[in-house]
Amino acid sequence: MITQDTKELLKFNAHGVSPADIYKEGCEAGKLAVDIFYAQHGEPLYCGFGDVKIVPARGSFVKYLKDIKIGSNGWNGGWRISSYDIMRGHDLCSTQSMSIKEEACDAFAKVLEKYGITAYSQSRAD
């Protein structure tokens, strides 16, 4: 678990990294995680949705996402980024498999956490 002190250090380390680069790194990590998962498990048939929630919905990264029209207000606060925005351009972008969406969102959220951005992967069955 990342403590508040650690989070401040991570934010310091992220200073100077453009939000566009963070978003690109997160998307690449998500797509790679999907490729690895798909190679091992195929496309599970359990349908659902996946997204990443950033809380609070402020800061340079969220401002960047709003400026380029990626994401929306999250339920109960925060900023929500859909798995579709994370996997854009990937062959499995439009899959209905919740497991694949979870893999992409988990990897994307880990990249954001690396930069001190509080992010959670979320999913729900369809």
Side-chain angles (χ1 to χ4, degrees), residues 89-116:
H90 191 279
D91 290 342
L92 293 169
C93 179
S94 60
T95 183
Q96 292 187 11
S97 173
M98 187 169 77
S99 298
I100 288 176
K101 293 174 183 180
E102 287 172 337
E103 289 295 318
C105 292
D106 288 348
F108 188 89
K110 285 179 185 174
V111 169
L112 298 187
E113 286 285 335
K114 180 176 95 171
Y115 290 106

Side-chain angles (χ1 to χ4, degrees), residues 73-91:
N73 290 322
W75 181 83
N76 203 21
W79 191 253
R80 184 186 81 77
I81 305 167
S82 169
S83 61
Y84 297 108
D85 289 324
I86 295 168
M87 293 175 49
R88 188 174 288 157
H90 191 279
D91 290 342

Side-chain angles (χ1 to χ4, degrees), residues 4 7 24 27 41 43 61 63 67 74 88 95 120-121:
Q4 189 59 34
K7 189 167 284 198
K24 181 180 177 186
C27 290
H41 305 285
E43 188 172 3
F61 185 70
K63 181 184 181 319
D67 288 347
R88 188 174 288 157
T95 183
Y120 306 95
S121 176

Side-chain angles (χ1 to χ4, degrees), residues 6-84:
T6 304
K7 189 167 284 198
E8 291 304 316
L9 181 59
L10 291 172
K11 285 182 182 178
F12 177 77
N13 287 339
H15 186 72
V17 178
S18 79
D21 290 340
I22 295 171
Y23 178 69
K24 181 180 177 186
E25 182 180 340
C27 290
E28 289 171 354
K31 292 172 185 176
L32 177 61
V34 165
D35 289 340
I36 292 168
F37 180 86
Y38 185 74
Q40 294 174 350
H41 305 285
E43 188 172 3
L45 299 177
Y46 193 71
C47 297
F49 303 92
D51 57 70
V52 172
K53 182 176 182 178
I54 300 171
V55 289
R58 61 179 181 263
S60 62
F61 185 70
V62 172
K63 181 184 181 319
Y64 168 76
L65 293 174
K66 288 178 180 180
D67 288 347
I68 62 171
K69 300 185 182 352
I70 289 181
S72 60
N73 290 322
W75 181 83
N76 203 21
W79 191 253
R80 184 186 81 77
I81 305 167
S82 169
S83 61
Y84 297 108

